[in-house]
Amino acid sequence: MLTIGQLAATAGVTVRTVRHYHHIGLLPEPERDASGYRRYSAQAAVDLIRIRTLADAGVPLARIDALLHAQPAEFAAAITDIDAALQRKIDQLTEYRGRVAELAGGERLVLPPEVVAVLDRMRGLGISERRVLLERDSWILMQALDPHVMPQRVRDKNAGLDDPETVRLFLACDQSVDWNPHDPRLDRLIDDLDAWEIKHEQDGSRPGYLKLVSARISEASPAWQRIIDALAHRTERRRTAVRDS
């Protein structure tokens, strides 16, 4: 026979918890023996362990009381239901953990895997995080405003990253971010970028989301703003020459 302290220790609860279960009628309180102590049987220990385990699993105390008085088949069926509910909760928490883990890479929350792969590829090529984040912004805006072009843009971007000259220009633009906008090195870079646009038949027109990204670029770097303005001016000059010819 067990004292209340021994019973509580066996079930891994406090004496106060045992007394609470007595108070609400969940665990019968035995009569005192001749010495004035309450002694608990092994069955009381089994019942207390069941109560604690079910309570830890989130089962309401009122339902626990019913289960303790249920027939074996009814008890087994209830345990199966409780286990299924716990598994659903585990699955939900696992999903939440995965989403929380992705918060450090915000693009994974809003962009499809093939776009995230493009951004990771840019990082792997040594393109700066500042430039990658601007690229990310363009994809987010594209997905919201012009989603049907996404697959082709992914193909185009990967093709560009396969091209050493395109990658060289990406890296050169990265290096120029903190240059003075009047640095003569920008003139050579603008010439190279302009030649790239001509080679790839860029007509200078950009969707609305790219205009927004250009605004972000101008905020990030006066040198980049000079590049954007110079390329736009050259493109417009070529278009005017074509119209007037």
Side-chain angles (χ1 to χ4, degrees):
M1 302 295 284
L2 303 171
T3 65
I4 190 170
Q6 291 169 332
L7 175 71
T10 299
V13 299
T14 64
V15 169
R16 182 176 181 180
T17 298
V18 175
R19 288 182 174 143
H20 174 66
Y21 291 156
H22 288 332
H23 178 71
I24 64 176
L26 194 56
L27 183 70
E29 187 174 12
E31 297 295 330
R32 296 183 185 275
D33 63 12
S35 302
Y37 292 100
R38 301 188 189 278
R39 301 292 180 175
Y40 295 84
S41 67
Q43 184 59 49
V46 171
D47 288 343
L48 182 56
I49 290 172
R50 284 181 169 179
I51 293 168
R52 189 210 69 188
T53 302
L54 292 169
D56 288 347
V59 180
L61 294 181
R63 189 180 182 197
I64 293 174
D65 186 41
L67 289 175
L68 292 176
H69 298 91
Q71 295 299 314
E74 182 183 354
F75 184 84
I79 293 301
T80 298
D81 290 343
I82 292 168
D83 181 69
L86 287 173
Q87 185 59 57
R88 288 192 295 273
K89 187 173 183 180
I90 289 170
D91 292 343
Q92 185 180 56
L93 290 173
T94 299
E95 180 185 351
Y96 290 162
R97 286 189 67 204
R99 293 175 65 184
V100 167
E102 291 175 346
L103 289 178
E107 59 260 17
R108 286 172 170 79
L109 298 177
V110 293
L111 292 173
E114 58 270 22
V115 175
V116 173
V118 167
L119 299 177
D120 287 341
R121 188 179 178 193
M122 292 175 68
R123 293 183 176 101
L125 290 169
I127 296 169
S128 72
E129 189 64 19
R130 180 176 352 197
R131 181 63 184 84
V132 172
L133 291 179
L134 289 169
E135 183 79 15
R136 180 205 65 183
D137 289 351
S138 74
W139 286 106
I140 292 172
L141 292 168
M142 187 192 313
Q143 181 170 253
L145 301 175
D146 208 5
H148 73 280
V149 305
M150 296 269 289
Q152 183 59 50
R153 288 283 294 172
V154 169
R155 290 190 290 271
D156 292 344
K157 182 60 67 172
N158 277 313
L161 296 177
D162 288 336
D163 176 32
E165 177 64 8
T166 300
V167 173
R168 183 187 74 80
L169 291 173
F170 265 124
L171 296 173
C173 288
D174 272 350
Q175 294 171 359
S176 72
V177 62
D178 294 321
W179 292 354
N180 185 297
H182 302 294
D183 191 311
R185 291 175 294 177
L186 279 180
D187 295 326
R188 294 191 295 273
L189 180 54
I190 289 168
D191 288 341
D192 289 345
L193 290 167
D194 191 40
W196 186 95
E197 288 205 352
I198 294 172
K199 178 181 176 181
H200 292 82
E201 299 180 346
Q202 299 294 322
D203 64 1
S205 62
R206 288 171 170 80
Y209 57 83
L210 289 183
K211 293 179 181 178
L212 293 173
V213 173
S214 295
R216 287 284 312 279
I217 290 175
S218 67
E219 295 171 0
S221 165
W224 285 359
Q225 182 59 59
R226 186 188 165 207
I227 292 172
I228 292 170
D229 291 344
L231 292 176
H233 176 72
R234 292 187 183 194
T235 299
E236 181 59 30
R237 191 171 57 191
R238 282 195 296 271
R239 291 167 64 185
T240 300
V242 170
R243 286 197 304 266
D244 292 345
S245 62

mmCIF file with all atom_site columns, all heavy atoms in Angstrom, residues 185-195 226-227 230-231 234:
data_model
loop_
_atom_site.group_PDB
_atom_site.id
_atom_site.type_symbol
_atom_site.label_atom_id
_atom_site.label_alt_id
_atom_site.label_comp_id
_atom_site.label_asym_id
_atom_site.label_entity_id
_atom_site.label_seq_id
_atom_site.pdbx_PDB_ins_code
_atom_site.Cartn_x
_atom_site.Cartn_y
_atom_site.Cartn_z
_atom_site.occupancy
_atom_site.B_iso_or_equiv
_atom_site.pdbx_formal_charge
_atom_site.auth_seq_id
_atom_site.auth_comp_id
_atom_site.auth_asym_id
_atom_site.auth_atom_id
_atom_site.pdbx_PDB_model_num
ATOM 1   N N   . ARG A 1 185 ? 34.660 54.358 -65.223 1.00 0.00 ? 185 ARG A N   1
ATOM 2   C CA  . ARG A 1 185 ? 34.443 52.927 -65.423 1.00 0.00 ? 185 ARG A CA  1
ATOM 3   C C   . ARG A 1 185 ? 32.986 52.622 -65.766 1.00 0.00 ? 185 ARG A C   1
ATOM 4   O O   . ARG A 1 185 ? 32.694 51.636 -66.431 1.00 0.00 ? 185 ARG A O   1
ATOM 5   C CB  . ARG A 1 185 ? 34.860 52.142 -64.176 1.00 0.00 ? 185 ARG A CB  1
ATOM 6   C CG  . ARG A 1 185 ? 36.358 52.122 -63.920 1.00 0.00 ? 185 ARG A CG  1
ATOM 7   C CD  . ARG A 1 185 ? 36.682 51.436 -62.607 1.00 0.00 ? 185 ARG A CD  1
ATOM 8   N NE  . ARG A 1 185 ? 36.170 52.195 -61.462 1.00 0.00 ? 185 ARG A NE  1
ATOM 9   C CZ  . ARG A 1 185 ? 36.276 51.782 -60.187 1.00 0.00 ? 185 ARG A CZ  1
ATOM 10  N NH1 . ARG A 1 185 ? 36.871 50.630 -59.906 1.00 0.00 ? 185 ARG A NH1 1
ATOM 11  N NH2 . ARG A 1 185 ? 35.803 52.535 -59.212 1.00 0.00 ? 185 ARG A NH2 1
ATOM 12  N N   . LEU A 1 186 ? 32.068 53.500 -65.320 1.00 0.00 ? 186 LEU A N   1
ATOM 13  C CA  . LEU A 1 186 ? 30.658 53.298 -65.646 1.00 0.00 ? 186 LEU A CA  1
ATOM 14  C C   . LEU A 1 186 ? 30.412 53.434 -67.146 1.00 0.00 ? 186 LEU A C   1
ATOM 15  O O   . LEU A 1 186 ? 29.524 52.772 -67.687 1.00 0.00 ? 186 LEU A O   1
ATOM 16  C CB  . LEU A 1 186 ? 29.785 54.295 -64.875 1.00 0.00 ? 186 LEU A CB  1
ATOM 17  C CG  . LEU A 1 186 ? 29.466 53.953 -63.420 1.00 0.00 ? 186 LEU A CG  1
ATOM 18  C CD1 . LEU A 1 186 ? 28.600 55.051 -62.816 1.00 0.00 ? 186 LEU A CD1 1
ATOM 19  C CD2 . LEU A 1 186 ? 28.760 52.612 -63.316 1.00 0.00 ? 186 LEU A CD2 1
ATOM 20  N N   . ASP A 1 187 ? 31.185 54.307 -67.793 1.00 0.00 ? 187 ASP A N   1
ATOM 21  C CA  . ASP A 1 187 ? 31.002 54.478 -69.241 1.00 0.00 ? 187 ASP A CA  1
ATOM 22  C C   . ASP A 1 187 ? 31.264 53.160 -69.974 1.00 0.00 ? 187 ASP A C   1
ATOM 23  O O   . ASP A 1 187 ? 30.512 52.779 -70.872 1.00 0.00 ? 187 ASP A O   1
ATOM 24  C CB  . ASP A 1 187 ? 31.948 55.570 -69.766 1.00 0.00 ? 187 ASP A CB  1
ATOM 25  C CG  . ASP A 1 187 ? 31.620 56.942 -69.192 1.00 0.00 ? 187 ASP A CG  1
ATOM 26  O OD1 . ASP A 1 187 ? 30.418 57.201 -68.958 1.00 0.00 ? 187 ASP A OD1 1
ATOM 27  O OD2 . ASP A 1 187 ? 32.551 57.734 -68.978 1.00 0.00 ? 187 ASP A OD2 1
ATOM 28  N N   . ARG A 1 188 ? 32.339 52.489 -69.591 1.00 0.00 ? 188 ARG A N   1
ATOM 29  C CA  . ARG A 1 188 ? 32.641 51.206 -70.235 1.00 0.00 ? 188 ARG A CA  1
ATOM 30  C C   . ARG A 1 188 ? 31.577 50.155 -69.913 1.00 0.00 ? 188 ARG A C   1
ATOM 31  O O   . ARG A 1 188 ? 31.181 49.368 -70.773 1.00 0.00 ? 188 ARG A O   1
ATOM 32  C CB  . ARG A 1 188 ? 34.030 50.716 -69.787 1.00 0.00 ? 188 ARG A CB  1
ATOM 33  C CG  . ARG A 1 188 ? 35.175 51.605 -70.262 1.00 0.00 ? 188 ARG A CG  1
ATOM 34  C CD  . ARG A 1 188 ? 36.522 50.953 -70.024 1.00 0.00 ? 188 ARG A CD  1
ATOM 35  N NE  . ARG A 1 188 ? 36.802 50.788 -68.595 1.00 0.00 ? 188 ARG A NE  1
ATOM 36  C CZ  . ARG A 1 188 ? 37.371 51.721 -67.835 1.00 0.00 ? 188 ARG A CZ  1
ATOM 37  N NH1 . ARG A 1 188 ? 37.716 52.905 -68.368 1.00 0.00 ? 188 ARG A NH1 1
ATOM 38  N NH2 . ARG A 1 188 ? 37.615 51.485 -66.567 1.00 0.00 ? 188 ARG A NH2 1
ATOM 39  N N   . LEU A 1 189 ? 31.103 50.167 -68.668 1.00 0.00 ? 189 LEU A N   1
ATOM 40  C CA  . LEU A 1 189 ? 30.079 49.202 -68.277 1.00 0.00 ? 189 LEU A CA  1
ATOM 41  C C   . LEU A 1 189 ? 28.771 49.468 -69.022 1.00 0.00 ? 189 LEU A C   1
ATOM 42  O O   . LEU A 1 189 ? 28.103 48.537 -69.487 1.00 0.00 ? 189 LEU A O   1
ATOM 43  C CB  . LEU A 1 189 ? 29.855 49.265 -66.759 1.00 0.00 ? 189 LEU A CB  1
ATOM 44  C CG  . LEU A 1 189 ? 28.799 48.303 -66.181 1.00 0.00 ? 189 LEU A CG  1
ATOM 45  C CD1 . LEU A 1 189 ? 29.084 46.860 -66.577 1.00 0.00 ? 189 LEU A CD1 1
ATOM 46  C CD2 . LEU A 1 189 ? 28.738 48.444 -64.661 1.00 0.00 ? 189 LEU A CD2 1
ATOM 47  N N   . ILE A 1 190 ? 28.420 50.736 -69.179 1.00 0.00 ? 190 ILE A N   1
ATOM 48  C CA  . ILE A 1 190 ? 27.205 51.092 -69.921 1.00 0.00 ? 190 ILE A CA  1
ATOM 49  C C   . ILE A 1 190 ? 27.328 50.627 -71.372 1.00 0.00 ? 190 ILE A C   1
ATOM 50  O O   . ILE A 1 190 ? 26.370 50.094 -71.953 1.00 0.00 ? 190 ILE A O   1
ATOM 51  C CB  . ILE A 1 190 ? 26.942 52.607 -69.829 1.00 0.00 ? 190 ILE A CB  1
ATOM 52  C CG1 . ILE A 1 190 ? 26.500 52.974 -68.404 1.00 0.00 ? 190 ILE A CG1 1
ATOM 53  C CG2 . ILE A 1 190 ? 25.879 53.037 -70.840 1.00 0.00 ? 190 ILE A CG2 1
ATOM 54  C CD1 . ILE A 1 190 ? 26.488 54.460 -68.111 1.00 0.00 ? 190 ILE A CD1 1
ATOM 55  N N   . ASP A 1 191 ? 28.514 50.826 -71.964 1.00 0.00 ? 191 ASP A N   1
ATOM 56  C CA  . ASP A 1 191 ? 28.727 50.356 -73.339 1.00 0.00 ? 191 ASP A CA  1
ATOM 57  C C   . ASP A 1 191 ? 28.530 48.846 -73.433 1.00 0.00 ? 191 ASP A C   1
ATOM 58  O O   . ASP A 1 191 ? 27.893 48.342 -74.363 1.00 0.00 ? 191 ASP A O   1
ATOM 59  C CB  . ASP A 1 191 ? 30.139 50.720 -73.813 1.00 0.00 ? 191 ASP A CB  1
ATOM 60  C CG  . ASP A 1 191 ? 30.305 52.210 -74.075 1.00 0.00 ? 191 ASP A CG  1
ATOM 61  O OD1 . ASP A 1 191 ? 29.268 52.896 -74.240 1.00 0.00 ? 191 ASP A OD1 1
ATOM 62  O OD2 . ASP A 1 191 ? 31.455 52.683 -74.106 1.00 0.00 ? 191 ASP A OD2 1
ATOM 63  N N   . ASP A 1 192 ? 29.091 48.116 -72.468 1.00 0.00 ? 192 ASP A N   1
ATOM 64  C CA  . ASP A 1 192 ? 28.957 46.650 -72.483 1.00 0.00 ? 192 ASP A CA  1
ATOM 65  C C   . ASP A 1 192 ? 27.505 46.225 -72.313 1.00 0.00 ? 192 ASP A C   1
ATOM 66  O O   . ASP A 1 192 ? 27.025 45.303 -72.990 1.00 0.00 ? 192 ASP A O   1
ATOM 67  C CB  . ASP A 1 192 ? 29.801 46.033 -71.360 1.00 0.00 ? 192 ASP A CB  1
ATOM 68  C CG  . ASP A 1 192 ? 31.297 46.125 -71.630 1.00 0.00 ? 192 ASP A CG  1
ATOM 69  O OD1 . ASP A 1 192 ? 31.668 46.399 -72.796 1.00 0.00 ? 192 ASP A OD1 1
ATOM 70  O OD2 . ASP A 1 192 ? 32.086 45.915 -70.685 1.00 0.00 ? 192 ASP A OD2 1
ATOM 71  N N   . LEU A 1 193 ? 26.792 46.887 -71.404 1.00 0.00 ? 193 LEU A N   1
ATOM 72  C CA  . LEU A 1 193 ? 25.385 46.537 -71.176 1.00 0.00 ? 193 LEU A CA  1
ATOM 73  C C   . LEU A 1 193 ? 24.528 46.882 -72.385 1.00 0.00 ? 193 LEU A C   1
ATOM 74  O O   . LEU A 1 193 ? 23.606 46.145 -72.744 1.00 0.00 ? 193 LEU A O   1
ATOM 75  C CB  . LEU A 1 193 ? 24.864 47.269 -69.928 1.00 0.00 ? 193 LEU A CB  1
ATOM 76  C CG  . LEU A 1 193 ? 25.425 46.775 -68.588 1.00 0.00 ? 193 LEU A CG  1
ATOM 77  C CD1 . LEU A 1 193 ? 25.083 47.771 -67.482 1.00 0.00 ? 193 LEU A CD1 1
ATOM 78  C CD2 . LEU A 1 193 ? 24.882 45.397 -68.235 1.00 0.00 ? 193 LEU A CD2 1
ATOM 79  N N   . ASP A 1 194 ? 24.845 47.998 -73.009 1.00 0.00 ? 194 ASP A N   1
ATOM 80  C CA  . ASP A 1 194 ? 24.098 48.395 -74.198 1.00 0.00 ? 194 ASP A CA  1
ATOM 81  C C   . ASP A 1 194 ? 24.331 47.393 -75.322 1.00 0.00 ? 194 ASP A C   1
ATOM 82  O O   . ASP A 1 194 ? 23.389 46.990 -76.022 1.00 0.00 ? 194 ASP A O   1
ATOM 83  C CB  . ASP A 1 194 ? 24.543 49.795 -74.627 1.00 0.00 ? 194 ASP A CB  1
ATOM 84  C CG  . ASP A 1 194 ? 23.623 50.385 -75.685 1.00 0.00 ? 194 ASP A CG  1
ATOM 85  O OD1 . ASP A 1 194 ? 22.388 50.201 -75.575 1.00 0.00 ? 194 ASP A OD1 1
ATOM 86  O OD2 . ASP A 1 194 ? 24.140 51.010 -76.625 1.00 0.00 ? 194 ASP A OD2 1
ATOM 87  N N   . ALA A 1 195 ? 25.561 46.953 -75.488 1.00 0.00 ? 195 ALA A N   1
ATOM 88  C CA  . ALA A 1 195 ? 25.865 45.948 -76.515 1.00 0.00 ? 195 ALA A CA  1
ATOM 89  C C   . ALA A 1 195 ? 25.134 44.640 -76.211 1.00 0.00 ? 195 ALA A C   1
ATOM 90  O O   . ALA A 1 195 ? 24.645 43.962 -77.122 1.00 0.00 ? 195 ALA A O   1
ATOM 91  C CB  . ALA A 1 195 ? 27.369 45.714 -76.579 1.00 0.00 ? 195 ALA A CB  1
ATOM 92  N N   . ARG A 1 226 ? 22.394 55.821 -62.822 1.00 0.00 ? 226 ARG A N   1
ATOM 93  C CA  . ARG A 1 226 ? 22.998 56.381 -64.038 1.00 0.00 ? 226 ARG A CA  1
ATOM 94  C C   . ARG A 1 226 ? 23.001 55.338 -65.159 1.00 0.00 ? 226 ARG A C   1
ATOM 95  O O   . ARG A 1 226 ? 22.746 55.659 -66.325 1.00 0.00 ? 226 ARG A O   1
ATOM 96  C CB  . ARG A 1 226 ? 24.435 56.853 -63.760 1.00 0.00 ? 226 ARG A CB  1
ATOM 97  C CG  . ARG A 1 226 ? 24.992 57.565 -64.998 1.00 0.00 ? 226 ARG A CG  1
ATOM 98  C CD  . ARG A 1 226 ? 26.452 57.888 -64.892 1.00 0.00 ? 226 ARG A CD  1
ATOM 99  N NE  . ARG A 1 226 ? 26.957 58.218 -66.226 1.00 0.00 ? 226 ARG A NE  1
ATOM 100 C CZ  . ARG A 1 226 ? 28.208 58.067 -66.613 1.00 0.00 ? 226 ARG A CZ  1
ATOM 101 N NH1 . ARG A 1 226 ? 29.117 57.614 -65.768 1.00 0.00 ? 226 ARG A NH1 1
ATOM 102 N NH2 . ARG A 1 226 ? 28.567 58.368 -67.837 1.00 0.00 ? 226 ARG A NH2 1
ATOM 103 N N   . ILE A 1 227 ? 23.288 54.083 -64.811 1.00 0.00 ? 227 ILE A N   1
ATOM 104 C CA  . ILE A 1 227 ? 23.257 53.017 -65.813 1.00 0.00 ? 227 ILE A CA  1
ATOM 105 C C   . ILE A 1 227 ? 21.865 52.899 -66.422 1.00 0.00 ? 227 ILE A C   1
ATOM 106 O O   . ILE A 1 227 ? 21.708 52.843 -67.650 1.00 0.00 ? 227 ILE A O   1
ATOM 107 C CB  . ILE A 1 227 ? 23.683 51.680 -65.181 1.00 0.00 ? 227 ILE A CB  1
ATOM 108 C CG1 . ILE A 1 227 ? 25.165 51.716 -64.809 1.00 0.00 ? 227 ILE A CG1 1
ATOM 109 C CG2 . ILE A 1 227 ? 23.401 50.523 -66.126 1.00 0.00 ? 227 ILE A CG2 1
ATOM 110 C CD1 . ILE A 1 227 ? 25.626 50.511 -63.998 1.00 0.00 ? 227 ILE A CD1 1
ATOM 111 N N   . ALA A 1 230 ? 21.087 55.925 -68.650 1.00 0.00 ? 230 ALA A N   1
ATOM 112 C CA  . ALA A 1 230 ? 21.876 55.937 -69.888 1.00 0.00 ? 230 ALA A CA  1
ATOM 113 C C   . ALA A 1 230 ? 21.372 54.892 -70.871 1.00 0.00 ? 230 ALA A C   1
ATOM 114 O O   . ALA A 1 230 ? 21.241 55.162 -72.080 1.00 0.00 ? 230 ALA A O   1
ATOM 115 C CB  . ALA A 1 230 ? 23.349 55.691 -69.563 1.00 0.00 ? 230 ALA A CB  1
ATOM 116 N N   . LEU A 1 231 ? 21.056 53.708 -70.383 1.00 0.00 ? 231 LEU A N   1
ATOM 117 C CA  . LEU A 1 231 ? 20.558 52.653 -71.270 1.00 0.00 ? 231 LEU A CA  1
ATOM 118 C C   . LEU A 1 231 ? 19.196 53.021 -71.837 1.00 0.00 ? 231 LEU A C   1
ATOM 119 O O   . LEU A 1 231 ? 18.923 52.786 -73.021 1.00 0.00 ? 231 LEU A O   1
ATOM 120 C CB  . LEU A 1 231 ? 20.483 51.323 -70.512 1.00 0.00 ? 231 LEU A CB  1
ATOM 121 C CG  . LEU A 1 231 ? 21.829 50.697 -70.116 1.00 0.00 ? 231 LEU A CG  1
ATOM 122 C CD1 . LEU A 1 231 ? 21.603 49.446 -69.280 1.00 0.00 ? 231 LEU A CD1 1
ATOM 123 C CD2 . LEU A 1 231 ? 22.668 50.377 -71.346 1.00 0.00 ? 231 LEU A CD2 1
ATOM 124 N N   . ARG A 1 234 ? 19.746 55.606 -74.609 1.00 0.00 ? 234 ARG A N   1
ATOM 125 C CA  . ARG A 1 234 ? 20.279 55.016 -75.842 1.00 0.00 ? 234 ARG A CA  1
ATOM 126 C C   . ARG A 1 234 ? 19.201 54.211 -76.570 1.00 0.00 ? 234 ARG A C   1
ATOM 127 O O   . ARG A 1 234 ? 19.106 54.263 -77.807 1.00 0.00 ? 234 ARG A O   1
ATOM 128 C CB  . ARG A 1 234 ? 21.469 54.122 -75.519 1.00 0.00 ? 234 ARG A CB  1
ATOM 129 C CG  . ARG A 1 234 ? 22.691 54.887 -75.010 1.00 0.00 ? 234 ARG A CG  1
ATOM 130 C CD  . ARG A 1 234 ? 23.883 53.956 -74.887 1.00 0.00 ? 234 ARG A CD  1
ATOM 131 N NE  . ARG A 1 234 ? 25.042 54.640 -74.328 1.00 0.00 ? 234 ARG A NE  1
ATOM 132 C CZ  . ARG A 1 234 ? 26.281 54.159 -74.355 1.00 0.00 ? 234 ARG A CZ  1
ATOM 133 N NH1 . ARG A 1 234 ? 26.511 52.978 -74.948 1.00 0.00 ? 234 ARG A NH1 1
ATOM 134 N NH2 . ARG A 1 234 ? 27.284 54.816 -73.822 1.00 0.00 ? 234 ARG A NH2 1
#
